[in-house]
Amino acid sequence: LFNNLNATVEYYIKNTHDILLQLPIPQITGLNAPYQNAGKVTNKGYDFILSYNDKIGKLQYGIIATLSDVKNKIVDLVGTGPYISSRTIRMEGSPIDAFYGYESSGLFQNLEEIQAHATQFGAVVPGDIKYKDQMTIDTNADGIPDSGDGKIDDKDRVVFGSPIPRYTYSFTFNAKYKQFDLSAFFQGVGKCDGYIDQYGVWAFYLGGTAYEWQKDYWTETNPNASYPRLTFNYPNNEQVSSYWVKSAAYLRLKNLQIGYTFPKSFISKCFLENARIYFSAQNLLTFDKFYESFDPEAPLGTGSFYPMVKVFTFGIDLKL
């Protein structure tokens, strides 16, 4: 379009069959269940690419933008499942490895709230996480659960998020003016959930220390705290729940490079065909609302991993 603009839009439906599943077998065999080609997963979405190149005087520049949208869903487990791990679940109708646990309703503020609520884990006091008593009892026999059972247990666990990004996008900008050149690459994801527990967010986990950001813990004078009351090895607050989920959406300046190419008239005196100096940086800036000091790209889990590092490089390219 207009000699400078290019756009591509693609819509797709990808059906993947024969995914490996460890289907259950009778325990009387005494063997571990073998993996079989049985699962089916559907991915639906679109890809959008837009590029624009132009020139203003001696300034040449180009922009490339991409956007991908994907909806992931397990459609068939051959009548088996669901398959539940420590924090995730694989079941028909949900994304692969969706977060699975208790739905948090905030923190208990007083004893009256605790007494009026369903029974939870251990001796619950103000400042502890409150879990929703899901509708699991059918009181009028119409086949639709319409009441809770007054206790929080495995039947109250639900799907409360997915680590698979709904949107993935990027921006690339290139520019050249006389002998100078610049390139910048931004990448990011949108509508994505991140989950960290154990070492990452639980104070005094396994006898360790509290983190700096856990100073914002619940007290009577700090009822809107980011963290529950400080506890050690306490079952109620260490359950897998939506309380520990945060948005893992982010925008990151992934790569930045600035260079200068010496004029031919200058380098020819040094018997060089080309000479360029440059500075580059990786992971320079990140904009997100994830846990402080943790990378939104970090893998799902305990938080016991290194963050993404920044890398700065100075260099020179010479061609004889």
Side-chain angles (χ1 to χ4, degrees):
L1 302 173
F2 318 115
N3 298 323
N4 300 93
L5 182 65
N6 290 279
T8 302
V9 180
E10 296 181 344
Y11 175 78
Y12 64 89
I13 300 176
K14 181 181 180 182
N15 298 309
T16 306
H17 301 266
D18 298 328
I19 296 175
L20 285 174
L21 288 178
Q22 199 170 13
L23 301 180
I25 60 175
Q27 294 183 355
I28 194 173
T29 63
L31 302 174
N32 293 327
Y35 285 93
Q36 303 177 45
N37 296 97
K40 297 180 182 179
V41 172
T42 293
N43 288 282
K44 297 181 181 180
Y46 63 82
D47 294 326
F48 176 74
I49 303 174
L50 180 70
S51 63
Y52 183 81
N53 296 279
D54 205 350
K55 182 178 182 181
I56 303 175
K58 295 183 178 181
L59 174 63
Q60 303 177 35
Y61 67 93
I63 301 172
I64 302 176
T66 69
L67 174 64
S68 295
D69 172 29
V70 61
K71 295 180 181 179
N72 174 273
K73 183 172 69 174
I74 298 174
V75 296
D76 190 6
L77 290 176
V78 201
T80 67
Y83 298 94
I84 302 171
S85 66
S86 58
R87 307 175 186 88
T88 61
I89 188 171
R90 293 184 178 184
M91 69 176 180
E92 295 178 4
S94 295
I96 296 176
D97 293 330
F99 296 136
Y100 186 71
Y102 300 105
E103 181 180 353
S104 167
S105 301
L107 302 176
F108 286 111
Q109 298 297 327
N110 51 59
L111 290 176
E112 288 75 16
E113 285 188 14
I114 297 173
Q115 293 171 354
H117 195 266
T119 303
Q120 296 196 170
F121 307 93
V124 180
V125 301
D128 287 344
I129 300 175
K130 182 196 306 182
Y131 303 116
K132 183 176 179 179
D133 188 11
Q134 303 292 339
M135 301 295 183
T136 57
I137 303 297
D138 182 8
T139 59
N140 55 11
D142 64 352
I144 302 176
D146 53 18
S147 176
D149 60 3
K151 60 181 179 181
I152 304 300
D153 54 22
D154 287 350
K155 292 184 292 184
D156 294 293
R157 293 185 295 176
V158 295
V159 172
F160 55 78
S162 172
I164 300 175
R166 171 70 186 274
Y167 303 106
T168 304
Y169 60 91
S170 68
F171 303 96
T172 304
F173 177 76
N174 298 291
K176 185 175 182 180
Y177 180 74
K178 295 183 177 180
Q179 307 304 124
F180 294 93
D181 60 88
L182 168 70
S183 65
F185 174 63
F186 294 84
Q187 72 172 33
V189 302
K191 203 172 182 179
C192 178
D193 299 312
Y195 191 100
I196 293 179
D197 57 17
Q198 297 184 18
Y199 298 96
V201 294
W202 297 346
F204 312 116
Y205 182 71
L206 295 181
T209 59
Y211 294 107
E212 180 71 21
W213 57 84
Q214 289 171 337
K215 289 181 178 179
D216 185 25
Y217 60 90
W218 186 94
T219 64
E220 292 183 355
T221 57
N222 187 30
N224 298 317
S226 301
Y227 290 87
R229 68 186 180 95
L230 295 186
T231 59
F232 168 65
N233 196 26
Y234 183 62
N236 187 81
N237 295 343
E238 297 182 359
Q239 301 296 319
V240 175
S241 77
S242 61
Y243 188 87
W244 303 113
V245 170
K246 281 198 173 186
S247 171
Y250 69 90
L251 172 63
R252 169 170 287 154
L253 177 52
K254 189 67 177 179
N255 294 293
L256 174 69
Q257 186 170 117
I258 302 173
Y260 177 80
T261 302
F262 290 93
K264 295 288 186 180
S265 58
F266 175 79
I267 61 174
S268 61
K269 300 177 182 179
C270 303
F271 305 101
L272 295 173
E273 184 177 337
N274 188 69
R276 177 177 176 269
I277 58 174
Y278 65 89
F279 162 77
S280 66
Q282 298 179 7
N283 307 314
L284 190 59
L285 296 171
T286 302
F287 305 93
D288 66 86
K289 296 182 180 180
F290 200 52
Y291 285 103
E292 182 182 351
S293 301
F294 287 98
D295 190 343
E297 282 192 279
L300 164 70
T302 64
S304 57
F305 40 75
Y306 287 104
M308 190 76 72
V309 297
K310 296 180 180 180
V311 180
F312 302 96
T313 304
F314 296 88
I316 181 170
D317 293 329
L318 301 176
K319 185 177 181 180
L320 300 176

